Amino acid sequence: MSKIIDSFNLIIEELKSDLGEGFVATDIWHSKDAQSLAGYNSQPKAVALFNEVTRTLDKTLAGAEYPGLGNYYMVHLESGLLVVITKSGDYQQGMLVDLSKTTMGILMSVVLPKLHASLKEAIS
């Protein structure tokens, strides 16, 4: 388990570099127990909340006969903050991003594809 946590910590360091001051917080957790395995400005209550939101979204989409949830979803908050939840296998990562200090272009074109690839590699 230590190797995967080391990989998660490297992912977090990359996010700090890619998002700069726009990177506010993150946690990476296993969906089964919603306990953070690695984080930066960790938010345990947010981990528990978004683990449940992901579970509910998956269930609701299936019940509505929609396609399943993809690799990520976003929640735009007040004050220009954005929550991004990424899924990779049984793991999730939540990020809080300040859009006044980074751009959606960087987030969507650089950070998310790189993050998804890194998470996939870390858990394989």
Side-chain angles (χ1 to χ4, degrees):
M1 188 62 127
S2 177
K3 182 181 174 190
I4 197 168
I5 292 173
D6 289 344
S7 296
F8 289 164
N9 285 319
L10 288 174
I11 290 169
I12 292 168
E13 291 304 313
E14 283 283 317
L15 286 170
K16 288 179 187 177
S17 174
D18 291 344
L19 290 169
E21 291 181 18
F23 185 49
V24 178
T26 194
D27 282 283
I28 303 173
W29 68 92
H30 193 282
S31 298
K32 181 180 176 184
D33 63 9
Q35 297 296 309
S36 182
L37 299 170
Y40 169 72
N41 292 332
S42 289
Q43 306 289 319
K45 290 180 183 178
V47 169
L49 169 73
F50 283 108
N51 195 65
E52 183 63 22
V53 168
T54 302
R55 189 191 68 73
T56 301
L57 269 174
D58 278 333
K59 183 178 174 183
T60 302
L61 291 169
E65 298 181 8
Y66 269 55
L69 193 58
N71 298 332
Y72 67 89
Y73 64 93
M74 299 179 182
V75 180
H76 190 222
L77 305 175
E78 295 176 348
S79 303
L81 296 174
L82 184 74
V83 173
V84 182
I85 304 296
T86 59
K87 289 179 44 176
S88 189
D90 293 332
Y91 293 87
Q92 295 182 59
Q93 179 168 3
M95 285 188 296
L96 185 60
V97 178
D98 185 339
L99 292 176
S100 72
K101 297 178 181 175
T102 192
T103 66
M104 283 296 286
I106 293 292
L107 185 62
M108 299 300 294
S109 299
V110 177
V111 173
L112 282 177
K114 189 172 162 182
L115 174 60
H116 183 68
S118 295
L119 280 173
K120 191 173 182 179
E121 183 179 324
I123 63 172
S124 62

